[in-house]
Amino acid sequence: MTNYKLFASDLDGTMLNSKSEMSAENFMAIKKIMDAGVEFIPITGRCIAETDQSILNCGITYIINSNGASIYNVETQVAHITHISAEVLKEIFNILNDYEVVTIA
């Protein structure tokens, strides 16, 4: 029995190889985590349509996607999407202007 309730991991470059495929070993590790009663939540910058179906069909309930802007429930196929208001976004860009960063608007 573990005290952990949740395990989250990035997909691209972490759980997936350069061909965006998950190895059998990683699938087995996910199964072992889930069999221990720990929820596995993959995280990706991709939207759901770009996410490999094998990941969505491995028994997970949620995936954090679209660079963290969406939490998608695989079972109900409903996404909770967050947005930053225009006012807050302007404030962020104003703050970033004080630093050497590249922003794309």
Side-chain angles (χ1 to χ4, degrees):
M1 181 77 181
T2 178
N3 290 328
Y4 296 103
K5 305 280 185 220
L6 174 103
F7 179 84
S9 175
D10 178 49
L11 290 178
D12 295 309
T14 305
M15 298 293 287
L16 304 179
N17 63 23
S18 61
K19 297 178 184 176
S20 295
E21 300 168 335
M22 189 176 296
S23 69
E25 291 85 4
N26 282 346
F27 269 118
M28 293 299 291
I30 291 169
K31 181 174 177 3
K32 189 173 182 177
I33 289 167
M34 294 171 69
D35 287 348
V38 177
E39 177 123 20
F40 173 72
I41 299 181
I43 303 170
T44 182
R46 299 170 185 259
C47 68
I48 288 299
E50 296 175 317
T51 304
D52 189 289
Q53 285 298 309
S54 64
I55 294 161
L56 299 175
N57 295 330
C58 73
I60 62 170
T61 303
Y62 298 100
I63 181 170
I64 299 172
N65 61 302
S66 299
N67 287 324
S70 173
I71 300 172
Y72 182 78
N73 185 315
V74 177
E75 294 173 355
T76 63
Q77 298 183 343
V78 173
H80 174 75
I81 301 171
T82 59
H83 299 278
I84 298 174
S85 69
E87 296 82 25
V88 171
L89 192 57
K90 286 177 188 175
E91 288 180 43
I92 292 170
F93 276 105
N94 287 335
I95 292 168
L96 291 176
N97 283 331
D98 293 337
Y99 300 92
E100 292 184 35
V101 297
V102 176
T103 59
I104 302 171

